[in-house]
Amino acid sequence: MTQSVRIAIQLDLDWPLKRHHEPYSGIQDYVKQHQLAWELVPDEFPGPWIKPTKKARGYDAIVGRVTKAAADSASRAKIPVVNLWTNSPVANKVPSVLSDYRELGRMAGEHLIARGLRCLGGAGFRQDVGTRQFFQGLKSVAKEHGVPSTLHLSWFNYRNSERSWHRYTSQLDEWISQWNLPIGIASIYDNSARSIATMCVRRGLRIPEEVAIIGGGDEPVQCESIEPELSSIDVGHYRQGYEAAKLLHGMLDGLKPPAGPLYTPPADLVARQSTDVYAVADKTVGRAIRFIAENCGRPIRVADV
């Protein structure tokens, strides 16, 4: 019997977030569909276990949110690595399959423009590669439509202490005070979109009439647990995991990986109450209405919808 290939999955599955669980599901489905003899082992810190011992097998490959320590250990052991983490310090040094945050920014901007907004805002985080790409996409839409844009950056550690939280919310409040209403706000992550919505409610701003808000990630707990519910873009982490497994499969078969990162597109835009009346409970109907709204200036027909 042929020995299975042992793959370390460097993902923190304790976090109930799509960016952790959906790549794993995509990897699993690729393995099942191609009937591969892969043993998938969730391991947040696979480096020390790469080399085999008398009691246990080592790893034949690593895929996931790859750290520098894991990449260095894999390099010494001469096993392949596929990275899924946009902010990984080795993202441009090892084969990577990354989410297309630039397209995420474009989708968010076009969605807001289609609702008649003529001023756009973007929220993200300092030292975040995804935010930089997201802002590029959002600003390109603003430029194409000739509308102004305003951008806001926060620190990732805003929840570390009460002091950090007050600094974070105070800076958000100052940014909000400078807006020209009505405005469309796009945040790279749902958690910051939720914070912005909370601050708007405190100021007495009406959502979506004065401020339309859309986030990124489409995390149900974050988007559907507040009023109004938040529109969001599903980043497409399932496909990211699937494509990563496909890439790793080729590498294990001796194929040379691409020179730069591969990017997977967002999966879907889910319109809810925070952007406008086009939000409906049924996702298929919502997509159809959104298509009509965004293409009403073109000669579309029923078949197109």
Side-chain angles (χ1 to χ4, degrees):
M1 181 177 177
T2 304
Q3 189 179 42
S4 63
V5 177
R6 200 159 188 258
I7 311 292
I9 308 297
Q10 193 172 12
L11 294 169
D12 182 0
L13 299 181
D14 288 342
W15 282 82
L17 298 173
K18 289 184 177 182
R19 67 172 176 265
H20 292 277
H21 287 264
E22 288 194 350
Y24 190 31
S25 297
I27 294 168
Q28 287 178 311
D29 284 354
Y30 182 89
V31 172
K32 291 175 184 176
Q33 291 172 17
H34 293 80
Q35 300 181 336
L36 300 177
W38 286 13
E39 179 188 357
L40 304 179
V41 183
D43 190 340
E44 292 178 54
F45 306 100
W49 308 103
I50 289 177
K51 290 185 178 180
T53 65
K54 292 181 180 180
K55 296 183 179 180
R57 287 182 57 193
Y59 291 126
D60 300 298
I62 299 174
V63 59
R65 294 167 67 85
V66 178
T67 61
K68 185 177 186 303
D72 290 344
S73 297
S75 178
R76 288 192 293 269
K78 296 185 170 125
I79 65 171
V81 169
V82 176
N83 169 60
L84 304 176
W85 181 20
T86 300
N87 285 320
S88 170
V90 296
N92 293 315
K93 298 177 182 178
V94 302
S96 295
V97 179
L98 306 175
S99 300
D100 191 345
Y101 285 107
R102 187 176 288 102
E103 180 59 23
L104 193 81
R106 283 196 59 84
M107 283 180 66
E110 291 289 0
H111 177 72
L112 295 170
I113 288 291
R115 271 128 189 85
L117 280 309
R118 290 300 174 261
C119 185
L120 299 181
F125 293 90
R126 300 179 190 278
Q127 298 179 326
D128 178 40
V129 176
T131 290
R132 185 168 66 246
Q133 297 169 349
F134 180 79
F135 281 177
Q136 288 172 351
L138 184 66
K139 287 192 295 184
S140 69
V141 171
K143 183 177 180 180
E144 289 169 10
H145 291 272
V147 302
S149 61
T150 174
L151 306 176
H152 180 75
L153 291 169
S154 304
W155 292 103
F156 270 123
N157 64 352
Y158 67 96
R159 292 185 184 275
N160 284 6
S161 66
E162 183 176 352
R163 181 180 178 182
S164 297
W165 175 255
H166 285 314
R167 182 176 64 242
Y168 168 68
T169 54
S170 295
Q171 290 172 349
L172 271 184
D173 192 53
E174 175 62 25
W175 181 48
I176 292 171
S177 71
Q178 300 170 10
W179 290 350
N180 293 317
L181 303 178
I183 190 172
I185 299 297
S187 171
I188 185 172
Y189 302 123
D190 290 329
N191 56 351
S192 60
R194 185 180 61 185
S195 297
I196 292 168
T198 299
M199 297 300 296
C200 287
V201 171
R202 285 180 183 173
R203 275 185 160 265
L205 299 179
R206 292 174 299 147
I207 303 172
E209 293 83 359
E210 293 178 292
V211 184
I213 303 173
I214 184 168
D218 191 36
E219 299 288 349
V221 172
Q222 295 178 344
C223 294
E224 299 175 1
S225 61
I226 68 170
E227 184 68 30
E229 293 185 352
L230 289 173
S231 295
S232 186
I233 300 175
D234 187 328
V235 180
H237 292 299
Y238 172 88
R239 180 173 176 182
Q240 184 186 16
Y242 192 93
E243 294 297 327
K246 180 179 178 181
L247 175 59
L248 182 60
H249 187 192
M251 293 170 65
L252 288 168
D253 283 345
L255 297 180
K256 186 176 180 180
L262 300 176
Y263 289 93
T264 55
D268 194 17
L269 192 156
V270 183
R272 297 186 179 93
Q273 297 168 332
S274 69
T275 47
D276 65 8
V277 295
Y278 297 120
V280 294
D282 188 284
K283 289 186 178 182
T284 302
V285 174
R287 285 195 294 268
I289 295 175
R290 187 175 73 248
F291 179 84
I292 294 171
E294 294 177 353
N295 294 275
C296 61
R298 300 171 53 207
I300 58 173
R301 301 184 179 185
V302 173
D304 298 319
V305 177

